[in-house]
């Protein structure tokens, strides 16, 4: 089928074609576009909203900037100025001008597939050898009676609006919910967080409890195992939540509401059904090479998961470039994907948790080392922390979780250990500079062999050798 035969009822004023057509200029889409064009491919990049996607505009950058400003004691005005400044400093790197300068054909507008090998953006028809869907995700708004009748924020509206709440209600205790709870509390707002399950439920409960305790210490009120059953306007013009189950009811009131209840793929209006792309519960089906059921169309990033992180999208971008440009069957693996919650203290994880390892019927060793025994942490007064490592009985690293200052920076050696199936001995033998927080990793790794190294058998051997002179 030729381009002229597609959607004949519509007048097409422009037809363009390329080796790759990338839909979505978030982190994953930008990585593919920049990499592919510099490797000699012709690339079309389509974005319907803002270049840089969620990470730059409504996610990673503004949230971490706000957390940093709140941690140093800024007021609302100064914190928002810092946040806007951080976005403005990064924007040129993600801009349409930069990508056009690289040789990418940037098209601003909403894309829609009209056939398996064609899509349209306004009056422009696009065809390519391969398409990459990288349209990201959008916040989930739970079906709670009355929620549609009150104003509320999601991460897509919170940072542009820059509210100054007197009392912020946060619906959802995942990473976004807990990060913004701590940030707005430290900026001076009263904050109440409501979670239908456990706060930071994906993380090791032992270490997540340390973050929870810090939030409470900061003054955040937390209600766990507390589903919201109704939302209404409060008597003072704010927002009221009715919560509870089993005959018990709790009413919470605040000036503003943030909904942080998860995310779903952003594919509405994309026409994937016309492109022959099958969905599973609203998510495009992909194989391990990240190809959809239309093998000419790949999908990466938040739109497919399984982890909705910027670094996962960048990793998937490398897989797609290898497949789409070089036709090599690279396959995505997710057993060593790290994640970090950027609270104070930070919470970082990679690989299997203790519960997951035990559920897999593996005989495991759990290694721990507290920050309160680390000299750098003591010197800086940052002793709230713990590293927990899960290993096989022979010492191969299965996973690690760290809670504490700079946990996100400290997780990298454990990512490598999980990815390359290293034993804890490799980390224990490393020379670590003193005094650094990195010593917690070396000390945790070294504890694996401590029972044998300092046991009775070793003592007998030392005494025997001593008698030999």
């Amino acid at each position: 089928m030729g381009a002229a035969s597609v959607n004949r009822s519509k007048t097409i004023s422009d037809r363009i074609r390329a080796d790759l057509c990338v839909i979505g200029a978030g982190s994953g889409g930008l990585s593919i576009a920049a990499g592919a064009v510099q490797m000699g491919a012709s690339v079309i990049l389509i974005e319907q909203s803002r270049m840089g996607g969620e990470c730059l505009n409504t996610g990673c950058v503004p949230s971490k900037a706000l957390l940093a400003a709140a941690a140093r004691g800024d007021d609302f005005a100064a914190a928002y100025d810092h946040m806007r400044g951080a976005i403005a400093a990064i924007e040129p790197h993600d801009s349409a001008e930069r990508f056009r300068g690289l040789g990418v054909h940037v098209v601003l507008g909403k894309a829609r597939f009209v056939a398996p090998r064609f899509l349209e953006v306004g009056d422009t028809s696009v065809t390519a050898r391969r398409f990459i869907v990288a349209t990201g995700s959008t916040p989930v708004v739970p079906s709670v009676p009355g929620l549609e009748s009150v104003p509320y924020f999601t991460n897509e509206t919170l940072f542009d609006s820059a509210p100054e709440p007197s009392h912020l209600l946060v619906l959802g205790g995942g990473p976004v919910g807990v990060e913004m709870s701590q940030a707005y509390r430290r900026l001076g707002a009263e904050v109440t967080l409501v979670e239908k399950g456990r706060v930071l439920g994906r993380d090791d409960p032992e270490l997540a409890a340390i973050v929870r305790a810090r939030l409470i210490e900061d003054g955040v009120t937390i209600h766990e195992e507390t589903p919201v059953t109704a939302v209404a306007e409060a008597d003072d013009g704010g927002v009221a939540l009715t919560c509870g189950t089993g005959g018990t009811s709790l009413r919470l009131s605040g000036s503003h509401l943030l909904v942080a209840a998860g995310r779903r793929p952003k594919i509405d209006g994309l026409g994937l059904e016309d492109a022959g792309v099958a969905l599973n519960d609203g998510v495009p089906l992909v194989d391990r090479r990240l190809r959809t059921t239309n093998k000419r169309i790949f999908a990466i990033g938040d739109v497919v998961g399984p982890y909705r992180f910027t670094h996962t999208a960048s990793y998937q971008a490398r897989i797609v470039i290898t497949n789409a440009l070089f036709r090599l069957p690279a396959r995505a693996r997710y057993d060593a994907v790290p994640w970090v919650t950027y609270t104070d203290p930070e919470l970082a994880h990679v690989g299997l948790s203790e519960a997951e390892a035990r559920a897999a019927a593996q005989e495991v060793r759990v290694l721990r080392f507290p920050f309160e025994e680390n000299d750098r942490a003591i010197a800086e007064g940052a002793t709230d922390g713990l590293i927990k490592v899960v290993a096989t009985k022979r010492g191969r690293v299965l996973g690690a979780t760290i809670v504490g200052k700079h946990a996100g920076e400290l997780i990298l050696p454990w990512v490598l250990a999980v990815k390359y199936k290293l034993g804890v001995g490799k980390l224990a033998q490393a020379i670590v500079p003193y005094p650094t927080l990195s010593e917690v990793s070396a000390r945790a790794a070294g504890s694996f062999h401590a029972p044998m190294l300092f046991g009775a058998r070793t003592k007998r051997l030392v005494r025997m050798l001593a008698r030999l002179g």
Side-chain angles (χ1 to χ4, degrees):
M1 178 184 292
S5 65
V6 177
N7 198 5
R8 290 188 178 88
S9 62
K10 181 175 180 178
T11 301
I12 299 298
S13 61
D14 191 18
R15 293 179 174 84
I16 54 177
R17 62 180 65 241
D19 294 320
L20 299 184
C21 175
V22 182
I23 310 163
S27 58
L30 293 178
S31 294
I32 290 178
V37 77
Q38 291 177 91
M39 291 177 182
S42 56
V43 180
I44 299 166
L45 175 63
I46 302 170
E47 173 54 51
Q48 71 171 16
S49 183
R50 292 184 284 185
M51 297 286 290
E54 184 208 358
C55 184
L56 173 62
N57 298 290
T58 63
C60 310
V61 173
S63 64
K64 279 47 179 180
L66 204 64
L67 280 163
R72 65 175 178 241
D74 286 2
D75 61 17
F76 280 107
Y80 294 142
D81 284 345
H82 172 71
M83 177 189 67
R84 295 185 189 104
I87 294 172
I90 298 171
E91 269 180 334
H93 186 267
D94 293 350
S95 67
E97 291 75 17
R98 174 175 177 264
F99 276 79
R100 286 174 177 137
L102 291 174
V104 176
H105 188 146
V106 179
V107 180
L108 301 179
K110 182 173 177 57
R112 178 178 176 82
F113 282 99
V114 293
R117 296 183 61 179
F118 295 93
L119 60 77
E120 293 176 356
V121 186
D123 293 337
T124 300
S125 174
V126 178
T127 185
R129 288 197 304 109
R130 301 289 185 271
F131 293 88
I132 298 93
V133 177
T135 47
S137 61
T138 191
V140 169
V141 178
S143 300
V144 180
L147 181 58
E148 73 286 349
S149 65
V150 301
Y152 61 85
F153 296 108
T154 67
N155 74 293
E156 290 186 345
T157 57
L158 181 67
F159 304 114
D160 283 342
S161 303
E164 297 188 18
S166 58
H167 186 172
L168 179 66
L169 301 175
V170 179
L171 178 53
V176 173
V178 297
E179 287 179 2
M180 291 301 94
S181 291
Q182 188 173 63
Y184 277 88
R185 178 68 191 114
R186 291 183 170 186
L187 288 171
E190 187 177 350
V191 177
T192 300
L193 185 155
V194 184
E195 165 57 42
K196 65 181 179 180
R198 176 175 64 84
V199 167
L200 296 174
R202 289 180 56 189
D203 288 282
D204 185 296
E206 179 184 3
L207 283 77
I210 296 174
V211 176
R212 182 184 185 277
R214 177 63 65 84
L215 262 66
I216 293 172
E217 182 182 321
D218 284 349
V220 177
T221 300
I222 297 177
H223 296 279
E224 294 178 289
E225 307 294 340
T226 306
V228 175
T229 56
V231 182
E233 182 178 347
D235 295 339
D236 60 1
V239 180
L241 307 181
T242 302
C243 316
T245 56
T248 62
S249 183
L250 174 69
R251 185 174 173 85
L252 303 170
S253 296
S255 62
H256 296 74
L257 173 63
L258 169 63
V259 176
R263 304 187 65 81
R264 62 177 179 83
K266 188 187 296 183
I267 56 173
D268 294 345
L270 190 55
L272 292 179
E273 63 280 1
D274 293 325
V277 174
L279 306 179
N280 178 28
D281 196 23
V283 179
L285 279 172
V286 293
D287 60 16
R288 288 182 58 193
R289 294 172 64 178
L290 301 173
R291 301 175 301 179
T292 68
T293 48
N294 178 341
K295 301 306 180 186
R296 292 183 177 271
I297 300 176
F298 295 79
I300 69 166
D302 279 16
V303 77
V304 289
Y307 298 102
R308 293 191 169 109
F309 308 130
T310 295
H311 48 279
T312 310
S314 298
Y315 163 70
Q316 291 173 327
R318 299 196 298 270
I319 299 296
V320 168
I321 285 177
T322 303
N323 278 280
L325 294 188
F326 299 102
R327 304 193 181 194
L328 297 174
R331 292 173 172 83
R333 294 181 57 93
Y334 301 108
D335 49 356
V337 175
W339 65 76
V340 184
T341 300
Y342 293 90
T343 45
D344 172 22
E346 292 181 356
L347 179 60
H349 173 80
V350 67
L352 297 180
S353 66
E354 179 184 1
E356 289 169 336
R358 295 194 187 282
Q362 296 200 47
E363 186 178 345
V364 301
R365 286 274 305 276
V366 177
L367 313 174
R368 292 179 175 84
F369 191 80
F371 277 46
E372 64 185 11
E373 295 182 25
N374 174 268
D375 292 357
R376 181 64 178 272
I378 293 169
E380 296 191 359
T383 55
D384 272 355
L386 174 69
I387 179 171
K388 181 176 180 180
V389 179
V390 181
T392 67
K393 64 179 181 179
R394 294 183 178 273
R396 180 168 67 83
V397 177
L398 299 174
T401 307
I402 308 174
V403 62
K405 187 175 183 179
H406 300 312
E409 311 296 337
L410 298 175
I411 200 68
L412 179 57
W414 299 103
V415 175
L416 297 174
V418 173
K419 180 176 177 62
Y420 295 109
K421 298 179 170 55
L422 301 181
V424 292
K426 298 293 186 183
L427 283 86
Q429 293 166 14
I431 299 174
V432 182
Y434 173 89
T436 63
L437 295 175
S438 296
E439 289 182 290
V440 300
S441 290
R443 293 290 296 274
S447 71
F448 182 86
H449 295 290
M452 178 180 66
L453 186 62
F454 302 119
R457 184 176 180 182
T458 301
K459 292 176 182 178
R460 288 195 300 270
L461 176 62
V462 169
R463 288 195 299 268
M464 181 186 72
L465 292 174
R467 288 195 293 268
L468 297 178

